[in-house]
Structure formats: structure tokens, C-alpha cells
Amino acid sequence: MNDVKKAIIVGASSGIGMETAKLLLSDGWHLGVAARREEPLQELKAMAPERIEVMTIDVTKPDAGDRLLSLINRLGGIDLYFHASGIGKQNRTLEADIELQTMETNAVGFTRMIGTAYRYFAEKGEGHIAAITSIAGTKGLGPAPAYSATKALQATYLQALEQQTRQRGLYISFTDIRPGFVDTALLNGDFPYPMLMQPETVARDIVSSIYRKRHVRIIDGRYRVLTFFWRLIPRWLWRRLTLLFVMAGWLLPSLMHAQTSRAELLAHLDLAAGNYSNYPNPTGHVTPAPDGYEPFYVSHYGRHGARYMTDDKAYKYTIGKMDTAQARDWLTDYGKEVLGRLKLAADNAHHRDGDLTQLGGRQHRAIAHRLVRNYPELLMQPIHVKANSSTVRRCMLSMANFCQELMTLNRKQGSDDILVKFLMNENETSVPIQTDCYPFYHWKDVSNHYRNMLKEANITYKTKIEKEDDDEDD
């Protein structure tokens, strides 16, 4: 029995359509890709020549439906038809050519292609149709009249076909994808579109929605909130509003102008290290004490430092996908190098689920340094430190690094009065900190010390390694 999934994507030459094709390809699908321009489709085919069929299709041409059926035959049938073809332009002066071209592509062409796929699946007995419409179909948008009108048509057409499917007893699923503003060539002109999303991010959501067979998916959460409020605006008020005002009026400005993840990573490449990335150092000035007063007490509340992944799933999933790609000879030389590095990182992280990394230790020692720098008068005399920590290993080690560094910085004053209080099941126990296994980021260096102290406090604690060892003994 052949379990290979097959799909056709119309509009795969760029943007969301191309990114979705790449994701389905990585999941093992056989694809038929179509668009007006053949060159980018051939570049896509080069990624997996044996699993991709290419055909040029112009959805505005009368033969587009026949060409779609021909591509279906070349694939030997399909399970999914994904329609990502469409155009959209601002038309504030209502130029006739723009309106008619938009209608021809987004209305007539859409109906032609969706109808062809529907009739094919009806004859086959089952199938899945997914199509990109838009949040622009929620309300009429003055800057792009034909675009918003055709997107409303598309959403209503899919809804109507879904109802007809039930009435006819057919097993055809529909997924109406309604993205917000996506940073593709489709959005041009001088309008300052807020909250632009990247095609790669939208494509991941689309693939997830297809697998879940969602009926309607608005991408992303910000736009789900936005369109909810759009629907509440009465017609008499809507016609008086500009689009930018409508966007700004219902969402926080911080959401509108937020930096995307991609832009943030490009600006600060070290952030790509994830859990291994250093926290940004505060750059502000400490508020001075009022005249006549001197600091005598500092309260600090902090989170644990950078840690390893809490389990091996993140490593195993990615390595599994890349091993599959390597077995099929899809990886480039650089991809093979990345896979090798990832396996080394996974080996290094094995049995360290959630543990503090060396970077995490440095982070908390740096906090101690900033405390001393900002409040030097506190260290002019012996200090007394009380610290609370849970018995979670990364928290214990974070606290140990912080306190140890304070002791080191102020050792000349004889400050050794540091007490760490561990919290477990709402019970507290106070124990002195261990100082001879600095720098406190290898759990194996300090586990015996803390285990003994916790046992004295009647707190049962075992590491994951110990639990596995017990299981093996059994």
C-alpha cells in the first residue's frame, strides 16, 4: 500500500506558496507545483527532482483547469489541492485595469481552479482543498477595493462548497487560510502596513492547519483579535475610518511596531544560540540614594541562568529529520556539517536535562559583579547574605554561582556569612553554601554535597541519572 501523500500547489513560484511547498517536501510529500513563471518552479524541483512535477498554469486562462487535471494525472492522483495564487494592489484612484485584473485572478481564476479540484475529489470520493484567502475579506478596505471584495468572495465560496459537500455526502475537507499582512511582493505601494509577518512563519502555520484539517485559520493571534473587533464595528462607523486608524485603534502600538523574530536575530546573531545565548546586560543608571541616606540593604530577585533543554526531544526530533534527509542525500555539505555539530551538542547535553550551562553560571556571577559595581559602599564592611532557592538543580547552581562570586569579591573583608535557603514542598531548610567546587556549573561536582544536606533536612531528591540507574538495577 502506498502511503506517500501527494499535493498540488498552484502559486508555488514565490512567497507563501513556495515556503509551504518546501515544508511539505521536507515531510516527504510528492508535489506538483504550478505558477505562471517556470524558472522559480524549476529551482524548487532541483531540491528533489524525483518528487516534484512542474507545470506552468495561468489561472486566468480558460485551459487552466485542464492543465491542472493533466498535472494530477502526472502525479498519479493527489490528496491535497492548495491554492496560493492571487494578486493584490492598492487602487486608491480605482483604475479600471487593476480592478478587472484582480477580479479575473482572484475571483474567476480562483473559482475555475477550486471548482476543478472539487470535481476531481468528488469523483475520487475524498480529498482536501486548502486556499489562501485573507483577513482583507472581513471588511471592505478602501485602499484595495477589488482585493478585499475578491477575498470575501473566496471565503464565502469555500464555505458554500463545504456545505454542499455535507449535503452530497462527500468526504472533502476544506481549510480557509486567512493571513494578515505578509511581507511578500503582493504588498507594494507606499502604505505603511503594520505587523508584517514573514512567509516562512505563515507557511509553518499553514502546514500545521492542513494536518489538523482546520476549517478556518486566521494567522496570527494578533490578527484574530483584530478581525474580532473589526466585525463589531458598525457600517456607519467603518466607512469613516482609515485602515491605519482601524489597525491602531484596536491593538497596542507595541504590537504594531514590534520587531519580528527574524529582524531581531539578524540584528543580534548571538540570540540564535537560544538557551545558550547570554542575557543582555542592563545599561541604565542606578537611582542614587536620597541625600543624607546610604544604601544598607539590597534585595535581588532573579531567575535561573541559561540552561540545557529540559529533555532530549528537541534534539532527537531535529536530528531525526536531518538523518532522514541525509539518508535521502538531500543535505548539502554545510547541512552535513550542521548535523555533525548538532549531534555533538546533543551528546554534551545528554543527562543534563534542564541543568545550568557554563554560560548560566557566568550570567549569575556577572549579576554579582554588577551589584558590587553599583553599590560599592556595601562591600566596605563584612556582608551578610541570605538567599532562597528551590531544589531544582539549575536554580541551586544559579544561586551558588551568585553567592560564591559575592564571597570571592568581598573575601578580603572576611565575609563568609552566606546562607542559602532551599524551598521544597513549602518546607524550608537553611544550609551553608559549599565553596570548594567553584565555578558551580557542573552538577556532578556539587550533587553529593547538596544531596547530603537535603537528606539531613528529610528531603528526598534524586537526579535523573540516579533514577535511571535504579531502574537498571531493578
Side-chain angles (χ1 to χ4, degrees):
M1 182 176 179
N2 188 4
D3 293 330
V4 175
K5 293 293 186 179
K6 300 177 183 179
I8 284 180
I9 301 177
V10 174
S13 60
S14 63
I16 300 173
M18 175 173 283
E19 296 302 326
T20 302
K22 291 177 181 178
L23 290 176
L24 292 179
L25 195 63
S26 68
D27 283 346
W29 286 63
H30 285 205
L31 300 179
V33 292
R36 289 184 296 107
R37 297 176 296 136
E38 183 177 3
E39 183 177 353
L41 298 179
Q42 292 295 342
E43 294 176 0
L44 194 59
K45 180 180 175 64
M47 297 177 61
E50 73 286 357
R51 292 193 294 127
I52 295 182
E53 295 291 337
V54 172
M55 180 171 287
T56 56
I57 296 179
D58 185 343
V59 301
T60 65
K61 302 297 183 182
D63 68 346
D66 292 336
R67 295 183 68 80
L68 173 59
L69 292 175
S70 176
L71 183 56
I72 292 175
N73 290 333
R74 283 168 54 181
L75 280 172
I78 59 172
D79 305 285
L80 167 69
Y81 173 74
F82 179 48
H83 191 89
S85 176
I87 62 173
K89 293 183 179 180
Q90 296 178 43
N91 194 11
R92 298 173 185 272
T93 58
L94 207 67
E95 296 180 20
D97 288 345
I98 294 177
E99 297 297 278
L100 294 176
Q101 289 172 5
T102 303
M103 289 289 181
E104 189 66 30
T105 301
N106 295 357
V108 178
F110 178 89
T111 304
R112 176 181 290 119
M113 304 306 288
I114 295 293
T116 300
Y118 177 86
R119 288 184 286 274
Y120 164 77
F121 285 133
E123 182 177 348
K124 179 185 177 184
E126 62 179 351
H128 190 173
I129 295 175
I132 297 177
T133 62
S134 173
I135 65 162
T138 308
K139 290 276 191 179
L141 302 181
Y147 181 72
S148 61
T150 54
K151 290 303 174 180
L153 177 147
Q154 292 176 357
T156 303
Y157 193 69
L158 292 176
Q159 185 181 50
L161 291 183
E162 191 169 29
Q163 186 185 70
Q164 185 183 107
T165 297
R166 296 293 297 272
Q167 293 170 348
R168 295 177 60 184
L170 302 174
Y171 296 96
I172 304 176
S173 302
F174 291 84
T175 300
D176 179 357
I177 305 293
R178 303 178 185 178
F181 299 135
V182 184
D183 190 10
T184 65
L186 192 65
L187 297 184
N188 51 27
D190 57 356
F191 183 79
Y193 290 97
M195 299 189 304
L196 283 178
M197 300 179 291
Q198 295 302 313
E200 300 87 350
T201 303
V202 175
R204 286 194 294 271
D205 200 316
I206 289 174
V207 171
S208 174
S209 299
I210 289 173
Y211 287 161
R212 291 174 154 186
K213 293 191 174 180
R214 291 181 179 271
H215 296 278
V216 177
R217 179 62 171 174
I218 299 174
I219 307 174
D220 55 12
R222 297 170 299 175
Y223 286 102
R224 288 192 284 275
V225 173
L226 180 69
T227 53
F228 171 80
F229 284 110
W230 274 9
R231 294 186 183 97
L232 299 180
I233 300 176
R235 189 184 185 97
W236 65 266
L237 179 58
W238 180 266
R239 61 175 173 261
R240 290 173 169 79
L241 302 178
T242 65
L243 179 58
L244 189 58
F245 177 82
V246 169
M247 297 289 291
W250 294 107
L251 291 177
L252 295 174
S254 59
L255 288 179
M256 288 181 54
H257 303 292
Q259 187 180 32
T260 64
S261 298
R262 177 183 176 86
E264 186 175 5
L265 288 175
L266 289 176
H268 305 283
L269 292 177
D270 61 304
L271 295 178
N275 288 336
Y276 302 91
S277 173
N278 203 354
Y279 300 150
N281 289 328
T283 57
H285 297 286
V286 177
T287 302
D291 292 340
Y293 292 86
E294 293 183 359
F296 70 95
Y297 171 80
V298 174
S299 177
H300 165 65
Y301 180 85
R303 193 170 183 264
H304 63 76
R307 59 169 173 80
Y308 291 97
M309 299 292 185
T310 54
D311 57 45
D312 292 336
K313 292 180 181 178
Y315 296 106
K316 291 179 179 178
Y317 176 82
T318 306
I319 290 174
K321 290 290 186 180
M322 295 189 72
D323 277 340
T324 300
Q326 186 177 34
R328 297 175 179 177
D329 199 26
W330 295 347
L331 291 184
T332 64
D333 290 339
Y334 183 66
K336 295 174 182 177
E337 180 184 347
V338 171
L339 177 58
R341 292 182 180 182
L342 182 58
K343 289 183 175 180
L344 288 175
D347 290 341
N348 181 58
H350 188 53
H351 281 321
R352 292 182 173 179
D353 299 349
D355 278 1
L356 196 72
T357 64
Q358 296 185 22
L359 174 60
R362 292 199 300 271
Q363 289 168 339
H364 278 271
R365 295 198 296 277
I367 293 173
H369 275 272
R370 290 197 295 273
L371 179 65
V372 172
R373 183 180 67 244
N374 292 330
Y375 302 100
E377 56 269 50
L378 289 179
L379 296 185
M380 299 306 294
Q381 55 186 344
I383 59 174
H384 180 71
V385 177
K386 288 186 177 181
N388 291 346
S389 171
S390 73
T391 54
V392 176
R393 288 181 293 181
R394 56 183 172 271
C395 298
M396 296 168 68
L397 299 181
S398 296
M399 188 65 69
N401 275 271
F402 174 77
C403 294
Q404 175 67 61
E405 194 68 12
L406 280 180
M407 292 179 66
T408 302
L409 293 172
N410 199 40
R411 190 174 298 279
K412 64 181 180 180
Q413 298 293 342
S415 296
D416 55 2
D417 186 12
I418 295 184
L419 201 64
V420 178
K421 183 180 293 183
F422 296 100
L423 307 178
M424 184 69 171
N425 297 329
E426 299 183 354
N427 296 321
E428 295 186 357
T429 180
S430 299
V431 295
I433 194 170
Q434 176 74 355
T435 61
D436 59 359
C437 46
Y438 182 82
F440 283 96
Y441 51 74
H442 287 148
W443 175 248
K444 64 182 180 180
D445 295 337
V446 294
S447 59
N448 289 333
H449 175 77
Y450 285 114
R451 187 188 301 110
N452 292 334
M453 291 187 297
L454 294 173
K455 283 182 179 179
E456 292 175 4
N458 294 321
I459 297 177
T460 302
Y461 186 83
K462 284 189 177 183
T463 68
K464 180 178 179 181
I465 298 177
E466 291 169 337
K467 292 177 181 178
E468 291 179 356
D469 290 342
D470 289 347
D471 294 338
E472 292 175 0
D473 293 339
D474 295 339

